[in-house]
Amino acid sequence: MTAQVSTDITKDSAYNAVAPDDFPAMMEVDRYGARSTAFDKIISATHDHFWDPLDKKYIDFTQPFDMKTTTVIPMDFVLEMQTPIADRLSGEEKIALANESARWMLSSILHGEAGALALSASLCHILKDPGAQEYAANQAREEARHVTGFAKYIEARWQKPLPVGPTLGNLLTDIVNAPEVYKKVVGMQMLVEGLAMGAFASLYTYSNDPVLRHLCQLVMTDEAFHHKFGKIWADRTVPHLTQQERNTIEDWAAECFQTLLFNLANPEQKKVIYAQFNLDWEEVLHEVLKSRTDDKRRKAMSNQNNIFRVLTKTLLKAGIITDRTKGFYATYVDMDELRKEGDEMVGDSIAEDGIEYLKRVNFAGRGKAASAAE
C-alpha cells in the first residue's frame, strides 16, 4: 500500500499525516493553532508516572538473585519443559534452560521497546496535529526509559541480551518503516503493546525475581497510557471506515496475530539458546509442535494474563475483529466471554497501583517545600 492510502484511511484530523521528509508542512502557520484536545489528559498525566531506571530511588538493579538455584520465570512458562526434552536434562540444566528462556523472552521485550521508541519518534515526523505530535514525543521519552530499564536488568542477570528472533524483528521493522498511520497505530499501540501488557502482567504476577516484578510494574504505568492512545485512534477512526478500509485493517491485524501466535515462541526463533545444552533445535521444534495442540492453546488462552488473549481482547474492543474474522480467533478464545467483559485491560489495576507508588516517590515532601518557599 502507498502513503496516499494512509491518508485516505485517516478519518480524524488528529491523525493527519505527511511524508516523513515533508518538513515544510510542519511550518505551515495554520498548523500550530489546529491542535486537538484528544490527547491533553494523557499528556498532562506524564508527570504522575515519571520514573528513572538509573536512579535507585525508583529501582535497584544491583539486588542479588541466585540464577543457579532459582528460575526467573516459573518452569511451566517454558515450552521445552513440557516435552520429553526435559527428561534429558539434570536439575541444574533445567534451571539454566529456564533462565536462558527468560533471557530470550526479556531480550524480545527489549527489542520490542526499541521498536516502540523508533516508531514513536517516526510519528513525530509525520503527524501534523501538534497535540498528537506532543503525545508521540512523550511516548518516545517513555519508551527510551523502558529500553534502558530492560537493558540494565538483562545486564544485571546475563550481561547482554540475545539477538532478536526473525518473526519479531521482521514485524517491528515493517511497522516502524510503514508509511501507513494505521499500521503504526494498530501494529504498535495495539498488537505489540497488547502483547506487552499481557507479558508484563504475567511476569509481575508470576516471576520469582522481585526486581523484574517491580520493573514490569513501572513499565506498565507508562504502557497503560500508550494503549489509551491506540484506543482514541480506534474510537475516532473505526466507526467511520468504509467496508473496504475496515477489511484492509482487519485482515492485516489477523495476519499479524496469526504470525505471532505460531512463531513468536517457536523453538526455531530461540535456537540460539540450545547449543549449550547439546540440544538440536529441530528436534526441540518437533517435540514442542507435538505437545502444542489446539486444545492446549485454548486452555492457555483462558488465562486472563495470556498474551494472546490480551491481544485478542484489544483488537475486539477496538472494533478490528468482526464477523469476518472472529472465527479464526474463536478457535482459541471464547469471543462471547471477551465481548461481555468491560473495557478494562489486564494490568490496568497493576499500573494504577504503580502510579500511586510513583506519586508518593515523586511528590514526597513537596508540600513542606512549598510552605517553606512561601
Side-chain angles (χ1 to χ4, degrees), residues 1-17 127 178-187 232-253 320:
M1 300 182 74
T2 66
Q4 182 60 42
V5 174
S6 170
T7 301
D8 290 343
I9 283 186
T10 300
K11 297 298 180 180
D12 189 279
S13 60
Y15 296 94
N16 283 343
L127 291 173
E180 301 92 346
V181 172
Y182 84 82
K183 283 190 177 180
K184 291 182 180 293
V185 176
V186 175
I232 292 171
W233 175 88
D235 290 344
R236 288 170 169 248
T237 302
V238 174
H240 305 292
L241 295 173
T242 66
Q243 190 62 53
Q244 182 179 355
E245 290 167 341
R246 180 187 286 272
N247 292 352
T248 296
I249 294 174
E250 185 177 6
D251 291 345
W252 181 77
I320 301 175

Side-chain angles (χ1 to χ4, degrees), residues 182 185-195 227 231 233-234 238 246 249-258 260 307-322 325 328-329 335 338-339 345:
Y182 84 82
V185 176
V186 175
M188 187 59 69
Q189 311 295 125
M190 295 184 181
L191 286 167
V192 176
E193 299 282 13
L195 285 172
H227 177 265
K231 184 69 166 57
W233 175 88
V238 174
R246 180 187 286 272
I249 294 174
E250 185 177 6
D251 291 345
W252 181 77
E255 180 182 350
C256 292
F257 181 95
Q258 186 173 27
L260 291 168
I307 60 175
F308 291 104
R309 187 184 192 279
V310 174
L311 177 50
T312 303
K313 181 175 178 178
T314 299
L315 296 174
L316 180 66
K317 294 295 183 178
I320 301 175
I321 298 176
T322 68
T325 56
F328 165 70
Y329 299 93
M335 300 299 287
L338 283 186
R339 203 177 299 277
M345 298 302 297

Side-chain angles (χ1 to χ4, degrees), residues 50-61 218 361-362:
F50 172 81
W51 59 283
D52 181 356
L54 299 180
D55 187 340
K56 289 184 179 180
K57 175 174 68 175
Y58 296 98
I59 186 167
D60 183 1
F61 293 105
L218 291 175
V361 173
N362 289 330

Side-chain angles (χ1 to χ4, degrees), residues 67-71 75 78 81 89-103 158 273 276-277:
M67 300 282 283
K68 292 185 177 180
T69 62
T70 311
T71 59
M75 282 288 189
V78 185
M81 295 302 174
L89 304 176
S90 67
E92 289 184 356
E93 288 174 326
K94 288 178 182 178
I95 292 173
L97 178 57
N99 282 334
E100 280 299 293
S101 291
R103 180 187 182 190
W158 296 280
I273 73 175
Q276 61 186 295
F277 302 100

Side-chain angles (χ1 to χ4, degrees), residues 148-173:
T148 300
F150 282 106
K152 295 293 290 183
Y153 177 77
I154 291 171
E155 180 183 18
R157 298 292 181 252
W158 296 280
Q159 283 74 60
K160 63 184 297 185
L162 294 171
V164 67
T167 293
L168 180 61
N170 291 337
L171 177 63
L172 291 173
T173 301

Side-chain angles (χ1 to χ4, degrees), residues 124-140:
C124 291
H125 288 276
I126 66 174
L127 291 173
K128 286 192 70 176
D129 184 281
Q133 196 176 47
E134 183 178 355
Y135 168 79
N138 273 352
Q139 181 169 344

